[in-house]
Amino acid sequence: MASPSDRAPLAERVEELLAVGGPLPIVAAGDPVLRRGTEPYDGQLGPELLARFVEALRVTMHAAPGVGLAAPQVGVPLRLAVIEDPAPVPAEVAAARGRVPQPFRVLVNPVYEPVGTARAAFFEGCLSVPGWQAVVARPAEVRLRGEDEHGSPVDEVFTGWPARIVQHETDHLDGTLYLDRAELRSLSSNEELARRWTQPTPATAAEALGFDLP
């Protein structure tokens, strides 16, 4: 259990962030908070402050816009993230990527492990690395364990694009950016991605840019 003195600095930091109002500023790659990892959530914020912080993360994620946001991305090194994906993509893309709508979820102290050996590779971006995307091969199915914002246990298997989202956000909590796992030959600006690589899968990009897919 964290002591009161351990809890106070994080609570004060969150109160300062929330005092400004509106979407929170998103930390960009290069800030050490994205690389230090996080401490498990153990009541440091208290129920009322936690609820306010979760709502601020939700507002910030929507405003960005994104489908996930981890606490370190707003400068708070707690093992906490939010996800939500309305999956507003064409049916062909949704089918190829296994992208289905995900309701708003809060992930507290999440950890994941692969289920099986299948891997899937797709372009991926990050709100903390604005303007760029790269192909990342990830386990196609994962088991996620943790808690929700009310302390209820979470033990769930995610597949397809939802599996990618929970891996991406949980990685943030371990100080890992998607670029650490990416095929760097695929790195593309958002403009080039929109101009060249809008296909449902990155097969065309792999052939043209010279990288392998699983």
Side-chain angles (χ1 to χ4, degrees):
M1 296 288 288
S3 69
S5 60
D6 292 330
R7 297 167 191 262
L10 278 173
E12 291 170 5
R13 188 178 314 176
V14 171
E15 289 281 16
E16 290 173 0
L17 281 172
L18 299 182
V20 177
L24 305 176
I26 294 177
V27 170
D31 190 310
V33 72
L34 294 172
R35 294 306 200 172
R36 289 176 180 154
T38 53
E39 62 180 78
Y41 178 74
D42 187 24
Q44 293 94 327
L45 304 187
E48 188 270 341
L49 183 55
L50 175 62
R52 290 167 53 211
F53 184 46
V54 164
E55 175 61 14
L57 290 174
R58 186 188 70 82
V59 168
T60 304
M61 175 179 63
H62 287 174
V67 296
L69 188 67
Q73 291 182 274
V74 297
V76 178
L78 272 179
R79 200 165 186 84
L80 172 72
V82 298
I83 64 171
E84 183 177 10
D85 184 16
V89 295
E92 181 185 13
V93 173
R97 301 177 185 178
R99 189 166 178 180
V100 295
Q102 286 294 300
F104 180 73
R105 301 275 301 268
V106 182
L107 308 179
V108 178
N109 299 329
V111 294
Y112 69 83
E113 61 183 10
V115 176
T117 59
R119 294 172 68 77
F122 293 101
F123 276 99
E124 192 170 315
C126 179
L127 297 178
S128 291
V129 189
W132 299 90
Q133 296 191 44
V135 172
V136 184
R138 292 187 181 273
E141 188 173 24
V142 296
R143 182 179 183 182
L144 186 83
R145 295 185 179 93
E147 302 170 350
D148 65 15
E149 68 271 37
H150 306 296
S152 299
V154 173
D155 187 344
E156 189 171 337
V157 172
F158 289 82
T159 62
W161 205 259
R164 181 169 297 269
I165 294 172
V166 299
Q167 288 174 80
H168 181 115
E169 299 309 327
T170 303
D171 281 355
H172 270 302
L173 306 180
D174 295 323
T176 298
L177 295 178
Y178 85 99
L179 288 173
D180 300 330
R181 304 187 185 278
E183 172 50 70
L184 291 183
R185 291 184 70 92
S186 71
L187 186 65
S188 301
S189 69
N190 285 348
E191 293 79 8
E192 283 299 308
L193 187 77
R195 187 162 75 95
R196 299 177 183 273
W197 314 129
T198 57
Q199 301 85 5
T201 76
T204 303
E207 181 177 359
L209 298 177
F211 62 91
D212 296 325
L213 294 174

